[in-house]
Amino acid sequence: MLTILSNNRITQSDTARVIGGELHMPAADYATLPVASPQTQPAPLTSDTLTNVSAHCRELQRPALRNRQGDVWALGASAVERSTALQSLQAPDFTLSDLNGEPHSLSDYRGQKIFLASWSSW
């Protein structure tokens, strides 16, 4: 049994196989993983056809990593997808006081570029 981590989901697969150091699984099973979107599905999607998931991830410029034993695989999003997601994220609002005790909220600066410096003495 192989464990596949993708898009914050853990999938256990009895049908996935490691062949030549690469992850292969039936295309129909691969289609159920969250990393495989309808636009990026390998063809054909029949349950008896093995898809080289590692090669398909390379084509899509997505990372596909495994542990040494090859029984745990992590399939990630492409750099473009990660960049797009980061650009759409908004930091949660918070309020901090400056050295003079004047409170400043992040929401006061929405739409402006700001630089936050933090420090910890762990």
Side-chain angles (χ1 to χ4, degrees):
M1 177 172 297
L2 296 180
T3 302
I4 302 166
L5 313 170
S6 60
N7 206 17
N8 296 324
R9 192 171 103 192
I10 300 172
T11 304
Q12 300 288 328
S13 176
D14 290 327
T15 59
R17 303 282 178 262
V18 177
I19 302 171
E22 302 219 321
L23 177 62
H24 291 74
M25 63 190 312
D29 292 348
Y30 179 43
T32 66
L33 294 178
V35 75
S37 66
Q39 297 82 15
T40 61
Q41 291 298 338
L45 291 179
T46 59
S47 59
D48 59 341
T49 303
L50 281 182
T51 297
N52 184 335
V53 176
S54 302
H56 191 241
C57 285
R58 279 193 299 277
E59 278 179 31
L60 299 174
Q61 297 182 336
R62 296 173 179 250
L65 308 169
R66 66 182 176 120
N67 67 347
R68 281 191 185 164
Q69 295 80 15
D71 59 349
V72 178
W73 288 77
L75 308 178
S78 71
V80 171
E81 290 168 322
R82 291 189 310 272
S83 176
T84 301
L86 286 174
Q87 289 176 8
S88 68
L89 295 179
Q90 234 182 33
D93 193 28
F94 60 90
T95 302
L96 295 173
S97 298
D98 63 17
L99 295 176
N100 297 323
E102 180 80 24
H104 295 275
S105 295
L106 183 61
S107 59
D108 296 339
Y109 300 96
R110 292 275 186 228
Q112 299 176 33
K113 292 184 179 182
I114 61 169
F115 176 74
L116 296 175
S118 62
W119 176 81
S120 177
S121 62
W122 301 350

